[in-house]
Amino acid sequence: MMQLPETMNPKNSLFNAMNRFIGAVNNMDQTVMVPSLLRDVPLYEDRELVSLKSDTEEGDMYSYYQLLKSIRQDIEWGIRCATATADEERKEGMKLSRTSSSGSTTSSASSVASYSSEEDEEDDEEDLHEQFQYHLTGLQGVLSKLTLSAHSLTKRYKKEIGI
């Protein structure tokens, strides 16, 4: 695992958010010596973790411990191969639909399309920037919540074993 020094990046950078999360999970992993003690310990007793439980599944501290470690692994090593394969299949399907629909256009429509495509490109660039900002803000928010959750889980484990 390679962590970048925080002095190189501004305080609110994505790199720092990822490093804080990875550090919190590493600390949690080093503190929790017997993860099986977290089994059957409900999440909802901790105010900081209550918002993290899913609507469909109650879960316990052990499953959340495993989830945090899995997310850390995804950040460090990338998304699993199954997701990449599904994305490649989706992209192939999009290419096929584009080639079949592009063969039916006429030359007069293409001159009108070229004018509107310049406007669309500008709109797409603005839209991409807005989408990026939206997702970056969301990712940083999620990483902050997950970091707090890893700290809370560590504190809760220490409380459970009497440290």
Side-chain angles (χ1 to χ4, degrees):
M1 171 191 59
M2 184 176 170
Q3 291 185 0
L4 299 174
E6 286 195 30
T7 57
M8 292 177 54
N9 301 310
K11 180 182 174 184
N12 294 325
S13 77
L14 180 60
F15 292 118
N16 283 338
M18 289 189 298
N19 282 332
R20 283 190 294 270
F21 169 71
I22 290 170
V25 174
N26 287 342
N27 183 42
M28 175 191 75
D29 206 18
Q30 291 172 357
T31 303
V32 178
M33 293 295 178
V34 185
S36 61
L37 290 176
L38 297 171
R39 288 191 191 276
D40 300 325
V41 177
L43 284 173
Y44 61 84
E45 290 178 6
D46 193 335
R47 275 187 231 152
E48 295 171 358
L49 295 175
V50 73
S51 64
L52 304 170
K53 70 178 183 175
S54 117
D55 293 335
T56 58
E57 183 180 329
E58 287 291 317
D60 59 3
M61 295 289 282
Y62 180 77
S63 61
Y64 203 68
Y65 169 82
Q66 293 295 340
L67 175 69
L68 290 169
K69 286 179 58 172
S70 173
I71 292 170
R72 177 193 60 189
Q73 184 176 9
D74 288 344
I75 289 173
E76 291 177 336
W77 296 99
I79 303 296
R80 294 181 186 93
C81 295
T83 306
T85 306
D87 287 342
E88 287 175 11
E89 290 173 2
R90 183 177 48 84
K91 287 178 185 176
E92 285 298 320
M94 290 174 64
K95 285 180 185 177
L96 291 175
S97 67
R98 285 182 185 163
T99 55
S100 65
S101 66
S102 66
S104 64
T105 59
T106 62
S107 61
S108 62
S110 65
S111 63
V112 173
S114 66
Y115 174 72
S116 64
S117 68
E118 290 174 7
E119 292 176 356
D120 289 345
E121 286 179 16
E122 290 176 9
D123 291 342
D124 288 345
E125 287 176 11
E126 289 177 15
D127 188 44
L128 286 174
H129 186 259
E130 288 175 14
Q131 287 179 11
F132 175 76
Q133 291 294 322
Y134 174 79
H135 289 292
L136 181 62
T137 303
L139 180 59
Q140 287 179 322
V142 168
L143 284 170
S144 295
K145 288 179 183 177
L146 291 172
T147 301
L148 291 173
S149 299
H151 289 304
S152 296
L153 194 141
T154 303
K155 288 178 194 173
R156 180 95 179 270
Y157 177 81
K158 287 179 178 180
K159 181 181 172 184
E160 291 289 326
I161 63 170
I163 294 180

